[in-house]
């Protein structure tokens, strides 16, 4: 690992907490909950993570969540991520969670969010890392289920920074959730949505995010480059893009590092993130390392990626400014 990258103060904005479930923890949770797994070891489980598209990835991904049952399970999951992230000098993380993937299995919303919230508070005290939650709706479920989940979240409004949209994009455009996101905005949530890479109708989905939903940022969204009008609009509005190069390498035909170069050159607010690091075996530092190696990024460009992330993060100005100052100090003094 490049030493400059290792020490760089980092901001992670695209991270599914369920995607941080390492096979070792999966085994531990299965044992704790009396669940039989179809593998004999963590190595065997890891070897079984085989996928070549978003759809095939998501099948195994949701099946794995069955081991998450109790409040301590969610606490341990988030704690494991936050400890790893802090060790990579992630200073601030916005963490997606998929409540519907749990409530649909009979695991109560309250238990999920309490476990995650307790882990965030403890990690902040212990590791000095700050984090907030973003609640994602499953786009391949009905909009009515998303609306019910939004209403269920309202008593926990102070624990959730915003809402997102994930899971299988095929046939599930942003407009399907227009009313849900309008209501979320009324409730004070900030808005983001996945526009996964090279999906059917991808530029139309990005357009809907910008023109119909009015998102504050876009997760992935690199196909905006296919349409100059989308590039102009995103740049004018200062829309951030949470790009995940190693993830792209698994679910598309490559890591698409070159799009990061183009986005930087176009002045778009591109950021580098890990998505589902337990499945893609790369946390945020490894993602930065990959784009540095592929593109020969300079230190200034690496710092630019983190500055973009802190700038688009859903933080109060005084806290954001603190992180930006820390980043400036690091780039001025790093050996
Ligand atoms: N859930 C976890 N990772 C995802 C991704 N990259 N796209 C959509 N849904 C996801
Ligand atoms: Zn994602």
């Amino acid at each position: 690992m490049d030493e400059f990258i290792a020490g760089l103060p980092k901001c992670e904005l695209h991270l599914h907490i369920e995607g941080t479930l390492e096979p070792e923890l999966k085994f531990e949770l299965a044992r704790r909950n009396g669940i039989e797994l179809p593998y004999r070891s963590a190595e065997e489980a890891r070897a079984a993570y085989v996928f070549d598209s978003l759809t095939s990835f998501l099948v195994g991904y949701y099946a794995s969540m069955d081991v998450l049952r109790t409040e301590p399970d969610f606490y341990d999951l988030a704690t494991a991520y936050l400890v790893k992230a802090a060790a990579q000098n992630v200073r601030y993380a916005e963490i997606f969670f998929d409540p519907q993937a749990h409530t649909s299995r009979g695991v109560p919303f309250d238990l999920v969010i309490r476990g995650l919230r307790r882990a965030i508070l403890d990690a902040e005290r212990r590791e000095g890392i700050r984090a907030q939650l973003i609640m994602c709706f499953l786009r391949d479920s009905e909009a009515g289920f998303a609306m019910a989940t939004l209403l269920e979240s309202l008593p926990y409004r102070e624990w959730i920074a915003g809402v997102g949209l994930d899971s299988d994009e095929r046939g599930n455009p942003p407009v399907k959730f227009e009313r849900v996101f309008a209501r979320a905005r009324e409730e004070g949530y900030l808005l983001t949505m996945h526009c996964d890479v090279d999906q059917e109708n991808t530029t139309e989905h990005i357009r809907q995010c910008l023109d119909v939903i009015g998102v504050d940022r876009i997760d992935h969204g690199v196909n905006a480059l296919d349409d100059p009008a989308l590039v102009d609009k995103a740049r004018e509005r200062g829309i951030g893009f949470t790009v995940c190069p190693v993830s792209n390498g698994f679910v598309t035909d490559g890591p698409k590092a070159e799009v990061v170069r183009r986005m930087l050159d176009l002045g778009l607010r591109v950021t580098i993130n890990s998505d589902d690091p337990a499945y893609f075996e790369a946390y945020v530092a490894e993602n930065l390392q990959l784009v540095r190696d592929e593109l020969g990024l300079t230190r200034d460009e690496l710092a630019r990626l983190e500055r973009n992330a802190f700038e688009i993060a859903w933080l109060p100005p005084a806290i954001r400014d603190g992180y930006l100052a820390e980043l400036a100090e690091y780039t001025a003094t790093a050996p």
Side-chain angles (χ1 to χ4, degrees):
M1 177 67 62
D2 182 297
E3 234 176 87
F4 181 80
I5 290 176
L8 189 65
K10 299 174 188 69
C11 175
E12 166 120 274
L13 301 177
H14 186 152
L15 180 280
H16 300 265
I17 200 63
E18 295 88 349
T20 69
L21 178 58
E22 294 283 353
E24 289 76 13
L25 181 59
K26 187 166 154 183
F27 265 79
E28 163 62 18
L29 298 181
R31 190 194 54 72
R32 205 190 275 177
N33 292 319
I35 297 164
E36 185 109 15
L37 290 175
Y39 334 98
R40 277 164 311 181
S41 66
E43 293 70 47
E44 225 181 273
R46 195 166 266 120
Y49 287 174
V50 182
F51 30 79
D52 59 2
S53 68
L54 181 61
T55 306
S56 62
F57 161 66
L58 290 170
V59 171
Y61 177 72
Y62 288 113
S64 290
M65 291 179 202
D66 187 42
V67 298
L68 293 161
R69 302 264 174 107
T70 67
E71 192 267 2
D73 296 347
F74 286 91
Y75 177 86
D76 290 349
L77 176 69
T79 298
Y81 164 69
L82 289 162
V83 167
K84 272 203 200 81
Q88 292 200 342
N89 210 25
V90 173
R91 305 288 294 117
Y92 172 66
E94 286 174 8
I95 298 178
F96 294 134
F97 72 116
D98 277 351
Q100 293 163 276
H102 312 303
T103 57
S104 62
R105 300 183 285 117
V107 177
F109 186 101
D110 177 76
L111 165 168
V112 174
I113 197 163
R114 279 187 193 282
L116 299 176
R117 172 78 180 168
R118 190 163 65 85
I120 287 172
L121 293 179
D122 283 356
E124 183 166 348
R125 254 194 317 272
R126 260 198 334 260
E127 320 283 339
I129 184 173
R130 183 183 267 110
Q132 297 199 86
L133 293 171
I134 299 176
M135 176 173 69
C136 279
F137 303 114
L138 301 184
R139 70 196 308 160
D140 44 0
S141 290
E142 292 307 308
F145 187 15
M147 185 64 97
T149 302
L150 174 65
L151 300 179
E152 192 171 8
S153 78
L154 294 180
Y156 310 90
R157 171 68 196 80
E158 293 310 310
W159 294 356
I160 304 171
V163 298
L165 187 68
D166 65 3
S167 200
D168 200 349
E169 187 165 337
R170 204 165 32 157
N172 297 298
V175 290
K176 175 176 169 186
F177 297 91
E178 186 177 352
R179 286 186 52 234
V180 178
F181 276 69
R183 176 68 188 269
R185 171 78 84 197
E186 278 171 31
E187 299 292 346
Y189 287 117
L190 291 163
L191 311 182
T192 186
M193 283 186 167
H194 277 58
C195 288
D196 267 281
V197 181
D198 294 346
Q199 294 288 301
E200 222 170 74
N201 301 326
T202 179
T203 50
E204 170 58 16
H205 290 187
I206 295 169
R207 190 198 67 74
Q208 290 176 9
C209 276
L210 296 174
D211 290 350
V212 182
I213 309 296
V215 294
D216 298 286
R217 63 176 184 238
I218 298 181
D219 300 309
H220 301 290
V222 302
N223 293 96
L225 294 173
D226 302 346
D227 180 346
L230 292 175
V231 169
D232 288 347
K233 202 170 288 185
R235 192 173 36 212
E236 273 160 32
R237 295 194 200 163
I239 295 289
F241 293 87
T242 64
V243 174
C244 308
V246 176
S247 163
N248 292 344
F250 277 88
V251 301
T252 77
D253 57 5
K256 317 246 174 206
E258 68 286 355
V259 302
V260 175
R261 158 64 60 209
R262 286 178 60 206
M263 291 175 113
L264 278 170
D265 291 349
L266 286 164
L268 293 173
R269 289 170 128 174
V270 55
T271 68
I272 300 298
N273 308 274
S274 67
D275 209 3
D276 302 288
Y279 292 85
F280 307 138
E281 297 188 45
Y283 285 76
V284 70
E286 289 81 11
N287 275 271
L288 284 163
Q289 186 73 46
L290 177 115
V291 288
R292 194 206 76 97
D293 292 347
E294 297 254 321
L295 301 174
L297 293 182
T298 64
R299 285 176 168 215
D300 278 354
E301 286 167 332
L302 288 163
R304 167 89 254 165
L305 291 167
E306 291 311 316
R307 197 156 62 243
N308 285 348
F310 285 116
E311 281 175 0
I312 66 166
W314 292 344
L315 282 168
I319 295 174
R320 177 200 319 287
D321 290 349
Y323 288 127
L324 289 171
E326 193 181 321
L327 182 60
E329 165 79 15
Y330 178 75
T331 52
T333 58

